[in-house]
């Protein structure tokens, strides 16, 4: 302690306390500072009081040190720096998510175009509208719109796709992609046998075992049905096994191929599909269905944008003739005109639970169901879990469609 | 005089302060708070008239709960005293021990302060309670600590001269080997030092005084000014350099050559008579105790440790700051 005595008046305890607690106005603070600069007694009093406060409240010094760093410095002191790693981390996560989605989207697009042919062969009734030989990102939404094609036509198309004007190696690779397809691709990725690749696909598949099984079924079905076409190229039958030893190219076998396990509208559709109908103009209708066991492809993400009054998620939707109908996960149906924003609930006129809605071709079955006096043809069809198909012109009034053959 | 306080504001303040808890009626509360407002002119310059908004801002800035409790204690309200002891009893004892640095002295100091607070002392036949002077600007516990520190410092000052001479550890530092200067040069140096210090802002002077004279640490100064230690270190360095430059400039202005001015800074500070400056005693001590490097933190200097002067400090090359030291360590 400095035992010097200063002349003059000292600030009272009130002012010194207010000074120590930073409660003084600027002018008064300046006065106290000027006094303390020359008054050892007041300095000592303030320092002792501060020492007592610091001993009594150990955190006070650190806290107050942070408090008065100046308005311009607060960003750069203490924990304020944490925004730097947080921002960096957020950026890294963002880039990772973008890359992930890019990886997912590209293989889905490519594989969807290829698997379109697979499905067409497997089911012999639905074929992709986009040519499989020119896969592009636009193939995905088009894939969602089924086109009914005679099986023979499908085989011919796939045969063209796979073997037309390609050298032998490419043909093998095409056969691998288009026919035996998934085994070979997965095997190439895994660098192991087909069996291992299948097991790996099961374990890696984001869609779960069901997707892998679906792959397996599709591939087997395809192999069986494609056998006649593959006879001129014996190597292609063994392609999966042969190509499993040499990795396929990056384009042919994207890393995330197991994630592209197929988004299959038919997965929730009843197996009792309506009779084949002539092809229709796809630009006039559109169907969207949420797969129950797979990841939605890019085109189906717009389903998520539909907000139904029920608040439930959208299970399936279809657009035709200026109207959109949407089925929610609770089985309720809603309709909306293009120029309207509000969805209107449609009273259930069908029996059972509606599981999928589709935009209906304008000819074929429609004529058979509405040949008696209806001017308009039905635009929509709804399939229940019975399974039974109901059709409607406007999405509001539904009529049961007679079973095929009756 | 402030303008009339709006009754609704007083109602609100009375309700918020909890005055009713101590049996203070609205009239008593109004008297207390208006006295505070008049004494401080609502925080404005003398002669200014506070608007109702300024009044409201002033009153809301007061520690009303503490103020009411202090006034109730000063009035002898037993319940208020019970609350006071419950709130501040142990804190005051701890504060007294921390201030005195001794548990025995601290407890004695706290007991004496309690007695004083309780109004056992009388002046002119009237019971006096220091709590009466509390105006609610700062916290009550802060005010209590400051008052306690004042009591201790005053007691120390009173008893300092009673210490035996051999207990005073301050031996006079040995004079260095700087050549003796004539009185004219010494006077010139005194004026130059006075002028250099006067040109510094008040806060910088406080920094210099606290660091060089009171031997406070950077952490202690930082706690009082509520800035970071590194900030104190930087400001201290800047202030030292500024004083040094100004000192040399002042000497050169008085007709001295640069070399002669620098030589003059090596003068024994005890020879410098600073009659025209309030800090004359402190400055002498500053010059005596400026032997340690300004940023060598936590090293308690001893007067006999070296012969460097303020001038030596000021003339020295800029030294490592606290942060640089930490990096080196």
């Amino acid at each position: 302690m400095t035992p010097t005595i200063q002349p003059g008046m000292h600030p009272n305890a009130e002012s010194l306390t207010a000074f120590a607690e930073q409660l003084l106005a600027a002018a008064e603070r300046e006065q106290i500072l000027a006094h303390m600069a020359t008054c050892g007694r007041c300095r000592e009093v303030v320092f002792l009081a501060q020492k007592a406060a610091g001993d009594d409240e150990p955190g006070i010094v650190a806290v107050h040190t942070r408090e008065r760093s100046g308005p311009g410095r607060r960003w750069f002191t203490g924990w304020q720096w944490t925004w730097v790693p947080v921002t960096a981390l957020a950026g890294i996560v963002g880039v990772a998510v973008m890359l992930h989605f890019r990886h997912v989207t590209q293989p889905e697009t490519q594989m969807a175009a290829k698997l379109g042919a697979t499905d067409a062969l497997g089911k012999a009734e639905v074929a992709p509208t986009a040519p499989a030989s020119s896969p592009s990102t636009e193939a995905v939404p088009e894939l969602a719109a089924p086109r009914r094609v005679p099986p023979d036509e499908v085989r011919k198309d796939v045969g063209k796709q796979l073997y037309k004007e390609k050298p032998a190696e490419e043909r093998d690779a095409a056969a691998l992609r288009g026919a035996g397809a998934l085994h070979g691709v997965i095997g190439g990725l895994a660098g192991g046998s087909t069996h291992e690749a299948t097991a790996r696909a099961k374990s890696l598949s984001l869609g779960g075992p069901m997707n892998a099984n679906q792959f397996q079924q599709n591939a087997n079905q395809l192999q069986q049905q494609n056998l006649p076409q593959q006879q001129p190229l014996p190597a292609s039958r063994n392609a999966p096994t042969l190509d499993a030893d040499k990795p396929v190219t990056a384009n042919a076998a994207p890393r995330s191929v197991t994630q592209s396990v197929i988004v299959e509208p038919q997965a929730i559709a009843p197996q009792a599909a309506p009779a084949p109908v002539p092809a229709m103009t796809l630009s006039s209708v559109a169907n969207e269905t949420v797969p129950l066991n797979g990841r939605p492809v890019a085109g189906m993400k717009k389903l998520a944008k539909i907000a139904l009054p029920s608040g439930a998620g959208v299970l399936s939707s279809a657009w035709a003739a200026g109207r959109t109908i949407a089925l929610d996960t609770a089985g309720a149906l809603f309709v909306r005109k293009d120029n309207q924003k509000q969805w209107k609930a449609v009273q259930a006129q069908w029996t059972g639970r509606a599981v999928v809605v589709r935009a209906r071709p304008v000819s074929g079955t429609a004529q058979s169901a509405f040949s008696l006096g209806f001017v308009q043809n039905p635009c929509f069809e709804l399939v229940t879990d019975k399974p039974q198909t109901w059709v409607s012109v406007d999405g509001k009034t539904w009529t049961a469609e007679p079973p095929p053959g009756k | 005089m402030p303008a009339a306080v709006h009754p609704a504001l007083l109602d609100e303040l009375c309700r918020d302060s909890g005055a009713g808890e101590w049996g203070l009626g609205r009239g008593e509360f109004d008297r207390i708070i208006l006295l505070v407002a008049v004494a401080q002119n609502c925080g404005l310059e003398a002669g200014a008239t506070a608007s109702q908004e300024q009044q409201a801002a002033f009153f809301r800035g007061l520690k009303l709960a503490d103020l009411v409790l202090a006034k109730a204690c000063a009035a002898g309200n037993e319940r208020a005293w019970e609350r006071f002891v419950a709130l501040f009893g142990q804190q005051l004892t701890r504060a007294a021990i921390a201030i005195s640095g001794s548990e025995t002295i601290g407890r004695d100091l706290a007991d004496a302060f309690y007695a004083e607070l309780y109004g056992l002392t009388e002046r002119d036949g009237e019971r006096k309670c220091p709590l009466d002077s509390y105006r609610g600007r700062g916290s009550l516990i802060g005010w209590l600590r400051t008052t306690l520190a004042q009591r201790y410092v005053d007691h120390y000052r009173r008893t300092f001269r009673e210490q035996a001479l051999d207990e005073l550890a301050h031996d006079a530092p040995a004079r260095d080997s700087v050549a003796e200067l004539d009185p004219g040069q010494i006077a010139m140096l005194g004026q130059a030092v006075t002028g250099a210090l006067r040109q510094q802002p008040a806060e910088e002077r406080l920094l210099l005084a606290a660091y060089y004279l009171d031997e406070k640490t950077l952490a202690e100064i930082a706690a009082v000014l509520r800035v970071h230690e590194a900030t104190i270190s930087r400001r201290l360095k800047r202030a030292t350099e500024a004083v040094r430059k100004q000192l040399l400039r002042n000497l050169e202005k008085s007709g001295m050559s640069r070399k002669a001015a620098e030589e003059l800074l090596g003068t024994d500070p005890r020879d410098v008579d600073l009659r025209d400056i309030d800090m004359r005693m402190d400055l002498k001590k500053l010059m005596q105790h400026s032997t340690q490097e300004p940023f060598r933190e936590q090293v308690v200097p001893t007067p006999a440790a070296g012969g460097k002067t303020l001038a030596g400090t000021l003339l020295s090359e800029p030294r490592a700051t606290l942060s640089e030291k930490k990096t080196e360590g």
Side-chain angles (χ1 to χ4, degrees), chain B residues 17-230:
Chain B
S17 69
E21 193 178 347
W22 316 121
L24 289 179
R26 172 62 193 280
E28 182 64 12
F29 175 79
D30 289 357
R31 189 186 68 81
I32 291 170
I33 204 165
L34 289 176
L35 279 176
V36 169
V38 168
Q40 302 177 39
N41 195 26
C42 290
L44 302 178
E45 298 286 332
T49 302
S51 64
Q52 293 202 334
E53 289 77 20
Q54 288 171 324
Q55 288 173 1
F58 172 76
F59 286 129
R60 291 197 176 105
L62 294 177
K63 312 285 183 188
L64 283 177
D66 285 354
L67 178 64
V68 167
L69 177 62
K71 297 300 178 187
C73 288
N77 186 312
E78 284 302 321
R79 277 175 46 216
W81 269 113
E82 287 171 11
R83 181 69 177 275
F84 180 89
V85 172
L87 282 177
F88 304 119
Q90 291 189 353
Q91 290 191 66
L92 263 186
T93 305
R94 284 199 298 270
I97 292 171
I99 286 169
S100 64
S102 155
E103 180 153 359
T104 310
I105 297 174
R107 289 192 181 280
D108 288 347
L109 181 66
D111 290 345
F113 189 51
Y114 268 128
E116 191 183 353
L117 288 176
Y118 204 68
L120 295 184
T121 56
E122 290 190 358
R123 196 175 296 165
D124 301 330
E126 191 177 345
R127 180 172 167 268
K128 287 288 181 188
C129 177
L131 286 170
D132 249 342
S133 63
Y134 176 66
R135 305 275 182 219
R137 291 180 77 188
S139 66
L140 182 55
I141 183 63
W143 180 86
L144 290 168
R145 287 189 191 115
T146 305
T147 309
L148 203 54
Q150 283 179 330
R151 301 290 183 273
Y152 179 71
V153 169
D154 292 343
H155 172 78
Y156 180 86
R157 288 170 174 237
R158 279 198 303 273
T159 58
F160 175 73
R161 295 178 190 279
E162 299 169 6
Q163 292 182 23
L165 287 175
D166 54 0
E167 290 180 12
L168 299 176
H170 297 289
D171 296 331
R175 290 177 179 249
D176 55 23
S177 58
V178 176
E180 294 290 330
L181 298 172
D182 63 68
Q185 283 182 319
I186 295 291
M188 194 184 297
L189 181 59
Q191 287 176 358
V193 171
T194 304
L197 286 171
R198 274 188 178 155
Q199 288 187 351
Q200 290 299 304
E203 195 158 352
E204 310 305 309
R205 278 187 277 139
L206 172 62
L207 282 182
L208 290 169
Y211 190 82
Y212 287 110
L213 306 182
D214 300 341
E215 298 164 8
K216 300 297 179 193
T217 64
L218 295 181
E220 287 171 330
I221 301 171
V224 166
L225 296 178
R226 303 204 178 187
V227 293
H228 198 272
E229 285 180 55

Side-chain angles (χ1 to χ4, degrees), chain A residues 328-346:
Chain A
D328 72 5
T329 52
L333 184 68
F334 298 85
V335 62
R336 182 179 72 176
K337 288 184 180 176
D338 281 356
N339 57 357
Q340 292 177 338
K341 289 186 178 178
Q342 298 296 325
W343 290 91
K344 289 181 181 173
V346 177

Side-chain angles (χ1 to χ4, degrees), chain A residues 1-5 14 17 20-21 23-24 28-29 33 41 43-44 51 55-57 64-65 68, chain B residues 91 94 98 135-139 142-143 145-146 154 156-157 160 203 206 209 214 216 224-226 228:
Chain A
M1 176 176 300
T2 307
T4 53
I5 299 173
E14 189 88 14
T17 304
E21 294 180 355
L23 297 173
L24 291 180
E28 196 175 357
R29 176 180 159 79
L33 280 171
R41 185 249 189 195
R43 278 202 306 273
E44 199 63 48
K51 181 185 172 194
D55 286 0
D56 211 29
E57 303 160 30
H64 290 160
T65 297
R68 183 169 140 68
Chain B
Q91 290 191 66
R94 284 199 298 270
R135 305 275 182 219
R137 291 180 77 188
S139 66
W143 180 86
R145 287 189 191 115
T146 305
D154 292 343
Y156 180 86
R157 288 170 174 237
F160 175 73
E203 195 158 352
L206 172 62
D214 300 341
K216 300 297 179 193
V224 166
L225 296 178
R226 303 204 178 187
H228 198 272

Side-chain angles (χ1 to χ4, degrees), chain A residues 285-308:
Chain A
V285 296
N287 294 327
E288 299 282 352
T289 302
V290 172
L292 294 182
N293 58 348
R295 293 167 55 87
V297 294
M300 293 191 178
K301 287 174 184 170
K302 59 186 175 186
L303 279 181
K305 295 177 182 174
I306 298 177
L308 295 177

